[in-house]
Each structure stands twice: as C-alpha cells, then as structure tokens.
Amino acid sequence: DVKVTQSSRYLVKRTGEKVFLECVQDMDHENMFWYRQDPGLGLRLIYFSYDVKMKEKGDIPEGYSVSREKKERFSLILESASTNQTSMYLCASSTGTGAYEQYFGPGTRLTVT
Amino acid sequence: DQQVKQNSPSLSVQEGRISILNCDYTNSMFDYFLWYKKYPAEGPTFLISISSIKDKNEDGRFTVFLNKSAKHLSLHIVPSQPGDSAVYFCAADNAGNNRKLIWGLGTSLAVNP
C-alpha cells in the first residue's frame, strides 16, 4: 500500500512566522503535489514536483514555496504566514507513468492567528 | 473557469437506496476520470476511475458511467450505507500534462439511516 505521511495533523502559528510542512511518500513516486482545501473551493493546487529539484507552480502559488531535495520528500514553505493561509493542506503523490491516481496524506490543519 | 463541474453541492439519500453523483466536464481531450471520497479531517481516498474508451466501470457497490457525447459522468452507489456519507470529488486528467488532475468542487453526500 502507498503511504503518504505529513509531519503534523494540526498546527497553530502566528502571523509572520515561517512555516514548514513536510510530506514523505514511500512508493518511489516521481510526482508530488501540495493542495489546500477550503470549504466550497474544492482542492486547489499550490505547487507540484515531477522530479527531484523540479517544481512547477499550480493555481495558487502566491505566498508559498516548495523544496524537493530527495525523491521521497516534498516540503511546503509559508515564508510569512498570514491569516488567509489558514486551511487544510494536503500532500499527494503519483507515479510518473501509467496510472493517474494520486495518493493523499492525512492532511495538516493549519491555523494562523 | 471550471473545466470539471459538480453542480450539486450536497445530496441526501436514505440508507439502502441509490446515490447518484454527477460530474460534467468541458474539455473533450480529457481521457481519464477519477472519483475520490473524503471524510472530514482526512485526505481524499481514491474510489474508482474510468478511461474514456469505456462507458462503464464497476467495483462492488460503486459504478461509474461515462457519456462522452454529453461530457458527463456519474457515480452510482448501490445500496447506499451511512458510512458512505462523505464529500465526493470528481477529477479528470489534465490531457497528460505531468499527471496533474483537474478537480471538481465536490458533492457532500449524506446517507440517512
């Protein structure tokens, strides 16, 4: 079974803090994704990576950056957290060939106060 | 501009009856569609998929139907169970572009005992 883990289930940070969210997958997947989910807005793609050190902006990259130094690990960085970044953050991974299915981690509920 | 639309934000059905969740898309180049299920405070889990070369795919209580001419797909759950109560997301492949998926906004299904 594919396992995607995220560093925290719940996180509370203050406005202006730098926040790191980490994601690790154990299936040697090429692709990794960061989404945020907000009520009524579905899943919105922040960034994705299709290889080590390779990244592409998603639909809402402003205020975020990412890092992928190793194939199994994909980090999302909030350079200066703001209250409008309070959300559920979801990491996913998928293989680079064949099936399209993405496998998700349990999510991190981030609250910025 | 939503390329994948789930026009019903919510649906309520009685236990034992059929649940039908609908999804419309605009891009005729999409060739693979997926349904995900999401419980609160958890990541989405893959449910069932269908290739555009098929018009039906079945897995236990879950069946997905694809009508390419109408650019419409539906997920049928028979019989519905209270444990099926969740948000269901429809997604389509982004025409092979690095395996990004295009997501609908979701339909919240409530199955009443």
Side-chain angles (χ1 to χ4, degrees):
Chain A
D1 275 356
V2 177
K3 187 112 170 131
V4 180
T5 57
Q6 295 183 228
S7 50
S8 305
R9 291 299 302 272
Y10 300 94
L11 210 51
V12 180
K13 294 292 181 180
R14 295 200 179 273
T15 302
E17 278 193 85
K18 191 168 186 175
V19 181
F20 293 87
L21 303 181
E22 294 208 318
C23 175
V24 177
Q25 52 95 2
D26 68 358
M27 281 303 290
D28 202 36
H29 282 170
E30 285 77 13
N31 300 322
M32 296 188 75
F33 307 83
W34 275 106
Y35 294 91
R36 62 178 282 178
Q37 188 205 1
D38 301 286
L41 298 179
L43 299 172
R44 293 184 292 168
L45 182 64
I46 304 171
Y47 267 97
F48 77 101
S49 168
Y50 51 92
D51 202 349
V52 174
K53 297 190 187 294
M54 305 303 289
K55 61 188 179 186
E56 277 194 29
K57 293 180 180 179
D59 302 316
I60 52 164
E62 296 79 17
Y64 304 94
S65 62
V66 291
S67 172
R68 193 167 180 200
E69 297 296 319
K70 293 185 177 182
K71 191 174 186 180
E72 68 272 18
R73 190 178 297 267
F74 192 35
S75 301
L76 179 70
I77 304 148
L78 287 66
E79 296 291 341
S80 178
S82 63
T83 54
N84 63 13
Q85 292 179 310
T86 291
S87 186
M88 168 70 96
Y89 289 88
L90 295 160
C91 175
S93 72
S94 70
T95 183
T97 56
Y100 293 81
E101 290 85 356
Q102 293 182 11
Y103 297 87
F104 284 83
T108 296
R109 167 62 66 183
L110 173 67
T111 302
V112 183
T113 61
Chain B
D1 183 28
Q2 283 275 305
Q3 294 190 68
V4 175
K5 300 177 184 178
Q6 295 178 257
N7 291 319
S8 299
S10 63
L11 177 67
S12 181
V13 299
Q14 284 299 119
E15 181 178 4
R17 307 293 287 266
I18 184 172
S19 296
I20 300 175
L21 297 98
N22 293 305
C23 180
D24 296 296
Y25 61 96
T26 57
N27 190 339
S28 58
M29 297 299 291
F30 289 156
D31 64 8
Y32 200 79
F33 302 90
L34 306 92
W35 285 95
Y36 280 77
K37 174 180 179 179
K38 186 183 183 301
Y39 293 119
E42 293 185 14
T45 54
F46 170 70
L47 198 54
I48 192 169
S49 61
I50 188 166
S51 164
S52 62
I53 63 173
K54 297 187 175 183
D55 55 18
K56 177 182 174 181
N57 188 26
E58 190 171 356
D59 183 2
R61 296 186 298 115
F62 302 91
T63 303
V64 57
F65 295 92
L66 176 62
N67 181 336
K68 281 187 294 183
S69 61
K71 296 192 183 70
H72 176 84
L73 62 155
S74 59
L75 174 68
H76 293 211
I77 306 173
V78 184
S80 301
Q81 299 173 354
D84 296 328
S85 298
V87 176
Y88 289 79
F89 290 99
C90 172
D93 80 302
N94 191 21
N97 181 9
N98 285 321
R99 305 298 192 209
K100 286 197 299 185
L101 296 176
I102 306 299
W103 297 84
L105 296 184
T107 296
S108 179
L109 173 66
V111 180
N112 305 306

